[in-house]
Structure formats: structure tokens, C-alpha cells
Amino acid sequence: MSEALTGLELRSTVTSGGELQLTLAEVTLDPPGPDEVIVRVEAAPINPSDLGLLLGPADIATMKAGGTADRPTLTATIPPQRMRAMTARLDEPMPVGNEGAGTVVQAGENARHLLGKKVGMIGGAMYTQYRKLPARDVIILPEGASAADGASMFVNPLTALGFVETMRAEGHKAIVHTAAASNLGQMLNKICLADSIPLVNIVRNDVQAAILRGIGATHIVDSSAPDFEAVLADAIAETGATIGFDAIGGGKLAGQILNAMEVAANRNATGYSRYGSTTYKQVYIYGMLDPGPTIINRTFGFSWGLCGWLLTPFLMKAGEEVIARLRQRVADELKTTFASHYTATISLADALRPEIVEAYERKTTGEKYLIDPSA
Amino acid sequence: MSEALTGLELRSTVTSGGELQLTLAEVTLDPPGPDEVIVRVEAAPINPSDLGLLLGPADIATMKAGGTADRPTLTATIPPQRMRAMTARLDEPMPVGNEGAGTVVQAGENARHLLGKKVGMIGGAMYTQYRKLPARDVIILPEGASAADGASMFVNPLTALGFVETMRAEGHKAIVHTAAASNLGQMLNKICLADSIPLVNIVRNDVQAAILRGIGATHIVDSSAPDFEAVLADAIAETGATIGFDAIGGGKLAGQILNAMEVAANRNATGYSRYGSTTYKQVYIYGMLDPGPTIINRTFGFSWGLCGWLLTPFLMKAGEEVIARLRQRVADELKTTFASHYTATISLADALRPEIVEAYERKTTGEKYLIDPSA
């Protein structure tokens, strides 16, 4: 019999008094069941998709450090008008962290073969020292891969592959992507280059454009340029892109993409169509780098869709077979296509220090933080 | 052999000089081919969906009458910033009028049985005295129905029935509709009452609410009321509506509907879901009573879609069998469910008089004009 394991786990609480509280809670895990394993977490990324749960809608300018050096706490104020959406999580300490990787330190009787193996995992509550989960929810990392290599093998890789699957399933042949120099965007470029899928990359400045040129991207459009919309329409006409994935959400960009698709479609039109082109134009919003309102100038007829896109519903709809195929590709190309680069590796305690929160909350393109709870 | 027929046809031209010109052109029709008929048009409605082609983006405050009493013309200025979308129709006189009804006055050898019959038609260019079209594109009106009864038997009835078909095909069980007291909205209420489909009607004032109460509507929500969003969420929670059809397009309404659906979904949620509820929420924009930008506050997670909806692509996707079933229902219920009421019947020449254009362009709820080109 294995002994019970005790470790620290990061918890995020939104109090009914309007305060965000981050703490490290001591958690004791009973030995795993027959089909379960316990993993010592050695690497867990801070993805943009983790920040909503971690920080809620707190005003980070109000952050205050507390507690001790070993067991720090962090508090911040939540503006009252942002409390409405918080009802369902009030006063409940939430564990955080979508994905991670580490070493299997205890295994149930049907999972003995995993003992000592480095594995990748998805399932939440990864900002913790020990994580118990069903054996079927871990993937053994390929030979020579470290926990850091495997820490981000789910969210970004499956999202990027999911875009390509969605494109194919819906009958499109080229893609537009925003915030295109992100970790995810770089992966998408590598996939599209390998699979010969034309990709229009929208970036916000020269530095981001240079990152993408460096990995071989061909269509790069800078949304800060004065001729942005014309250049975007040209790139879309050239590639035939009729589907876009937008990480930003707020502002006019999603509508500008739909409009550029319409302009491109009308270049080949033979006559005036009073309700816009018959070309179906689709943009998915999958992130909210800009939480402000989406503003859509409907200059593109009625043959269009603007929808939310999220990894989990996509995978559920895609089914087991597709999931297995995508996971296999991620494992096969873990150190090439799906390699992630980290700005810094921090400890669980570091993740609660105001100056570090400020850094990882900034979501600077290409910057990404990794938590090593075993540090 | 039938003789050639000559009649007047309304034409709308947007000139490259930035002017809208409405004229009545003399058109001569050769005798119909073996499978064709010629219909003397006796009734053609001015639908909101006709106004885009008819008036373009002209500034109607600048309208000027010209020509003679019998053959009037109308001109108006188009603001330069609105000319961009007009490229494809520049300097081309466009016939107008989606649907109409009248009497078959000539018929090809395979369509003799239609001679003298009152028929309904769809296919454009209905603001004309004689319309030639394939025999299979007309529907014989039921016994006792006048041309006015059959003039609006396609666009509004098939759109309202199309909403219900779309709802069923996509797995929803109740509908939200905006501009709900319109001719179309009244039909939708009658259909939903007959088919036991819960319908949430959004109106903009008391008068519209009274119209709907008069025909038996149960869920009526006034968007001008201070507690609009709360009342809307209640009605959505009560009905279980997760699909909406919006005739307005501009402003915040489409987003408010999605948000109210999310609020309703979260009332039954068992725990906090960081990416919003898993209930899929769909709003279709099918009109543009407000051509301004659509402003979407994304407060409802990622499980949502906002798409354009248009009758013709819907019918093409639905297929022959569905179309036949819907058309049959319209014919069967032409004088009940699908009865249209007209504010006034005008001549082709009247349709070019500034004071009358001003009246039908206003799109007042419940007001609808009918052109009788044979008058």
C-alpha cells in the first residue's frame, strides 16, 4: 500500500465581499484507486485560458501580498460591476491549471506500468504538487522529453489542430488567424506549412511579423498599418480563406475579417447580388484578449457566421477517433511542431507574487510562464 | 400564336455620379416559350427586403420628382461614403420586386391549363405590368383568393415557416423574435400557436405589444422598458428558447438576447463553468431595420453563434420536399395564418412619388404597401 501524500495546491477564491484571494492550501491525497495514478507535477503552463479562473475580473492594480515567504497569499479588489458574472463561484476556493506534466509517483494495481514514467495531463487543478487522476487521462511522454516539454501538449496543440479539423469539416480551404505570433499561432503556422494549408496571419506590429517570417509564414498582415483592410482583402483573395479564428474578440477585427472575405468574394462575382455574396464566411472567436464589445459593421450580406469556439466542445463533437489521431500527432511532433518556449519557470509561491502576476497577466506575445510546483 | 405584349417596368439605377434614379421603362415581351407563362401583375408588396435594391443607400431627404404624370421619374443623392458597396450595380437599371400575383394572360403549349388563372409568383422584377416566367415558378391561388391575397405568399410566409424549420433542424424548442409585431411576426405567432411552439416576442412599444396580445401571443417583452433584460431572461427561462431571429441587426439587441439565454441557462447550472454555460445559444440576423453596427458584449461564454439568415439559401439547403410542404401550408392557410394587410394600394407611378416613397420607406410596424401595376 502507498502512503497518503500531502502537498500544496493553489486556490483562487472570489469572496462575496468583492475580493480575489489566492492561497496555497495543504492537500492530502489518499492512495490511488486501482485505475488511478498520482503524478508529481513538475511543469504546468499559465495559458491565457487559465487566467480567467485564476484572477477572475480582479483589478490587478490593487494587488496586495500577504502571508509568509513559504505560504504567501495575494488579494485584490474586484470592481462591483464585474461581480455579477461571479455568482456561481462565490466564496468557493477553486483549484486552477488546465494542463501539466510530471512523474507518476503512485499507481493503482491496474496502472503499475506507469510508475516512474513522465506523463502529460489535462483536466484542471494542475497548479498543485501532487495530482491524482484516472490512468487513462495521462499520456506517456516520448523518450527524452522533459516535463517542461510535455506541459503544454494539450491546450495549444489540440486547439491549433482543432482549427484545421474545423476548417476541413466545414469545407473551407484556407484560414485567417489573429494574434498570429502567439505560441498557438506559431504552432498553427507549422501545421499549415506541413499540411499545405494557406494561412493568413494577422499581427499587430513588426516584431510579431518578424517572428512569423522567421518560421516561414508567407501571408502576414499588420493590423496597425493604414492599409490594413486592403492588404487583408488581397491576402484573403489570394488564399481563398473563408474561415477565421480570432483570439482577440473585442473591437472591430472580427467584422473586418468578414468584410475582407466579402470583398475578396465579390472580386470574382459576375453580377450585383443585393443581399451580399453567396460565399459563406465564418469567423470563430476563441479567446478574449480584448474583453470589450465586439463591434460588427455588417457590410457583408447575410451569408456569414460569427461563433464562439472552445476546445472541449470541439473535441466532444469530433469524437474518440479524431481525438486519438490528434493526440498521436502531438506526441510525435512534441519537440518540433508543438514545442513551447517559456519566458521563465516559477514556483507555486512565485505565482502569487504581485510583480510576477503582473508579468504573466500581461499576455505579451511570445511570453509564457511555466509553474514548477515541485521546485 | 400570342402577340407581343408591351408594358411598363420600374427600374432602379445607381449612377457612377452618385445618384439614384427611379424610372418606368417600356418593356416588350415576346410570346412565352412552351413551358412559360406571362402574368399580368395585379399586386406586388413592398417588403423591407425590396427596399435595399429599390432605393439603394440614397439619402431620401434629397428626393426630387421629375418626368411627366404618366411617366414620372425620381432622383436622389447617394452620400459618397455609401457608394463603395455599389460598385457591382453601377449604371445598370435594375428591375425590382421579389414577389407578386396576377392573372395568366398568355401560356406556352405545355402550360395551357394556367391560362386565365390567378397565380402567385416569386423571382424578382415584379414591379412590372407583365412578367414572363417558367410555369413551374407560379402557384395557382386557392378558390376565391384575389391577387392581393396571393401577393405576399412567399417571402414572409416562407421566412416565418423557415424559422420554425431551422429551430427544429438545429434542435431548439422555442424561439425569440424581434420586431415581433411586424406582418412577419404576426404570422410567426399564428404558426407557433398552431404548432405549440413557445415564442418570445420582443417589441419596442405598447402599441406593438397590444397588436400581439390581440392575436393571442403570450410572451411579449418591451425592449424600451427599464427592466427589459431581466424580463427577457425570465421569458427565455420559462420557454427554454435558445434560438433567436433578429430583424433589426444593428445595436445591442442580438447580444442582449444571447446574454439573456446565458442567464437563463445558468439558473439551472449546478456549478461554476469558467467558459460560460455549455448551452448552445444561437441568434440569426435576417434583416437590417437598423443598418448600424452590431455591438456584442460577450458576457455569455463561448457556446454561441450569431449568423446571417436569408430565405433563398435556407430553401436551397432544405430541399424540394420541404419547400413543397411549406408552400402547400401557405396555400392552405392563405386567408388565415398567412393573411397580409395593406395600408394602401398604389400604382407603379405612385411608387416614384416622393411623398409616397417617404411613407413606405418608414417601415412603420404593421404598415405595408401594395403596388398594383395594372391600375
Side-chain angles (χ1 to χ4, degrees):
Chain A
M1 251 331 249
S2 313
E3 70 212 81
L5 278 173
T6 297
L8 295 179
E9 176 166 292
L10 193 154
R11 296 281 174 82
S12 168
T13 311
V14 169
T15 71
S16 30
E19 191 175 68
L20 170 77
Q21 298 177 344
L22 299 186
T23 55
L24 296 179
E26 208 169 88
V27 175
T28 298
L29 298 178
D30 290 331
D35 297 302
E36 288 181 326
V37 294
I38 292 180
V39 179
R40 183 180 62 227
V41 184
E42 292 153 358
I46 303 178
N47 287 317
S49 51
D50 292 311
L51 291 175
L53 187 62
L54 182 62
L55 303 178
D59 176 0
I60 68 154
T62 66
M63 286 189 293
K64 277 203 196 81
T68 64
D70 276 6
R71 298 283 290 276
T73 63
L74 181 133
T75 55
T77 305
I78 298 175
Q81 72 274 19
R82 298 190 197 158
M83 284 296 289
R84 258 205 314 181
M86 294 293 106
T87 320
R89 62 171 287 189
L90 280 189
D91 301 317
E92 215 173 300
M94 316 281 292
V96 190
N98 278 316
E99 62 184 340
T103 304
V104 176
V105 293
Q106 289 188 12
E109 59 188 53
N110 302 326
R112 293 266 183 253
H113 64 288
L114 291 171
L115 210 55
K117 291 281 194 294
K118 290 251 186 265
V119 295
M121 330 170 257
I122 188 163
M126 294 299 166
Y127 299 164
T128 192
Q129 293 188 300
Y130 297 101
R131 178 72 162 88
K132 181 165 33 174
L133 70 176
R136 65 177 154 71
D137 285 357
V138 306
I139 293 188
I140 299 178
L141 299 187
E143 201 59 41
S146 67
D149 291 329
S152 298
M153 72 185 292
F154 292 93
V155 177
N156 279 349
L158 292 179
T159 299
L161 289 170
F163 292 171
V164 172
E165 293 291 317
T166 302
M167 176 204 80
R168 289 203 178 107
E170 297 180 3
H172 304 273
K173 60 177 194 177
I175 295 174
V176 178
H177 188 224
T178 74
S182 67
N183 232 293
L184 170 61
Q186 294 180 41
M187 285 180 194
L188 185 59
N189 271 281
K190 291 175 191 167
I191 296 166
C192 286
L193 284 168
D195 294 7
S196 301
I197 296 164
L199 175 64
V200 177
N201 293 280
I202 300 178
V203 298
R204 277 168 292 187
N205 57 49
D206 279 349
V207 179
Q208 296 170 345
I211 293 174
L212 290 180
R213 265 193 302 275
I215 60 169
T218 39
H219 299 281
I220 305 167
V221 185
D222 186 341
S223 61
S224 70
D227 58 352
F228 166 58
E229 293 195 67
V231 176
L232 178 62
D234 287 345
I236 287 174
E238 213 172 303
T239 56
T242 47
I243 187 168
F245 293 91
D246 175 32
I248 295 168
K252 294 185 176 177
L253 188 55
Q256 287 172 325
I257 296 170
L258 290 169
N259 185 60
M261 289 174 178
E262 179 75 357
V263 170
N266 282 333
R267 283 197 194 157
N268 306 316
T270 50
Y272 175 68
S273 172
R274 74 190 84 171
Y275 305 118
S277 80
T278 56
T279 301
Y280 194 79
K281 301 161 288 288
Q282 175 70 48
V283 169
Y284 285 104
I285 293 179
Y286 73 93
M288 44 196 299
L289 293 178
D290 176 354
T294 312
I295 297 161
I296 307 292
N297 284 300
R298 301 179 326 288
T299 47
F300 36 74
F302 287 89
S303 192
W304 59 276
L306 177 69
C307 303
W309 193 99
L310 207 56
L311 181 58
T312 305
F314 159 74
L315 292 174
M316 281 172 63
K317 205 173 147 193
E320 288 303 325
E321 211 169 305
V322 172
I323 294 174
R325 174 165 53 80
L326 302 187
R327 282 187 168 201
Q328 189 56 51
R329 180 165 181 182
V330 176
D332 291 346
E333 303 174 26
L334 191 58
K335 300 191 81 163
T336 53
T337 312
F338 302 108
S340 284
H341 305 284
Y342 299 98
T343 312
T345 300
I346 61 176
S347 69
L348 271 183
D350 288 338
L352 277 62
R353 298 192 208 289
E355 68 279 14
I356 294 181
V357 175
E358 218 166 87
Y360 66 67
E361 197 273 343
R362 216 178 292 133
K363 296 174 235 175
T364 307
T365 300
E367 294 217 341
K368 203 182 180 80
Y369 285 75
L370 191 67
I371 299 178
D372 178 358
S374 72
Chain B
M1 244 342 242
S2 314
E3 70 212 81
L5 279 174
T6 297
L8 293 178
E9 176 164 293
L10 193 156
R11 294 283 173 82
S12 167
T13 311
V14 169
T15 71
S16 29
E19 192 175 67
L20 170 77
Q21 298 176 343
L22 298 187
T23 54
L24 296 180
E26 207 171 88
V27 175
T28 298
L29 298 179
D30 289 332
D35 297 303
E36 289 181 326
V37 294
I38 291 180
V39 179
R40 182 180 64 227
V41 183
E42 293 153 358
I46 303 179
N47 287 317
S49 51
D50 292 309
L51 290 175
L53 187 62
L54 182 62
L55 302 178
D59 176 0
I60 68 154
T62 65
M63 287 190 294
K64 277 202 197 83
T68 65
D70 275 6
R71 297 284 290 275
T73 62
L74 181 135
T75 56
T77 304
I78 299 176
Q81 72 275 19
R82 298 191 198 158
M83 283 296 290
R84 258 205 313 183
M86 293 293 106
T87 319
R89 62 171 287 190
L90 281 189
D91 301 317
E92 215 172 301
M94 316 282 291
V96 189
N98 278 314
E99 62 183 339
T103 305
V104 177
V105 292
Q106 290 188 12
E109 58 188 52
N110 302 327
R112 293 269 182 251
H113 63 288
L114 291 171
L115 210 55
K117 291 280 195 294
K118 289 251 185 266
V119 295
M121 335 170 253
I122 188 163
M126 295 297 167
Y127 300 164
T128 192
Q129 293 188 300
Y130 295 102
R131 177 72 162 86
K132 180 162 38 172
L133 72 174
R136 65 177 154 71
D137 286 357
V138 306
I139 294 188
I140 299 178
L141 299 187
E143 201 59 42
S146 67
D149 290 330
S152 299
M153 72 186 290
F154 292 93
V155 177
N156 280 349
L158 292 179
T159 298
L161 289 170
F163 293 171
V164 173
E165 293 292 316
T166 301
M167 175 205 80
R168 289 202 179 106
E170 297 180 4
H172 305 273
K173 61 176 193 177
I175 296 175
V176 178
H177 188 224
T178 74
S182 67
N183 231 294
L184 170 61
Q186 294 179 40
M187 285 181 194
L188 185 60
N189 271 281
K190 291 175 190 166
I191 296 167
C192 287
L193 283 168
D195 294 7
S196 301
I197 296 164
L199 174 64
V200 177
N201 294 280
I202 301 178
V203 297
R204 278 168 292 188
N205 57 51
D206 278 350
V207 179
Q208 296 170 344
I211 293 173
L212 290 180
R213 263 193 302 274
I215 59 169
T218 39
H219 299 281
I220 304 167
V221 185
D222 186 341
S223 61
S224 70
D227 58 352
F228 166 59
E229 293 196 67
V231 176
L232 178 62
D234 287 346
I236 288 174
E238 213 171 303
T239 55
T242 48
I243 188 168
F245 293 90
D246 175 32
I248 295 168
K252 294 185 175 177
L253 188 56
Q256 287 172 324
I257 295 169
L258 289 168
N259 185 60
M261 288 174 178
E262 179 76 357
V263 170
N266 282 333
R267 283 198 194 156
N268 305 316
T270 50
Y272 175 68
S273 173
R274 73 189 85 171
Y275 307 117
S277 81
T278 55
T279 302
Y280 194 78
K281 302 160 288 288
Q282 174 72 47
V283 169
Y284 285 104
I285 293 179
Y286 74 93
M288 43 197 297
L289 292 178
D290 177 354
T294 312
I295 296 162
I296 306 292
N297 284 301
R298 302 180 324 289
T299 47
F300 38 73
F302 287 89
S303 193
W304 58 276
L306 178 69
C307 303
W309 194 98
L310 206 56
L311 180 59
T312 306
F314 159 74
L315 291 175
M316 282 172 61
K317 204 173 146 193
E320 288 303 325
E321 210 168 306
V322 173
I323 294 174
R325 174 165 53 81
L326 302 187
R327 283 187 169 203
Q328 188 57 51
R329 181 165 180 182
V330 177
D332 291 347
E333 303 173 27
L334 191 58
K335 301 192 80 163
T336 53
T337 312
F338 302 109
S340 284
H341 305 284
Y342 299 98
T343 312
T345 300
I346 61 177
S347 69
L348 272 182
D350 288 339
L352 276 63
R353 298 191 209 288
E355 69 279 14
I356 294 181
V357 175
E358 218 165 87
Y360 66 67
E361 198 273 341
R362 215 179 292 134
K363 296 174 236 175
T364 308
T365 299
E367 293 217 342
K368 204 182 181 79
Y369 285 75
L370 190 68
I371 299 179
D372 178 358
S374 71

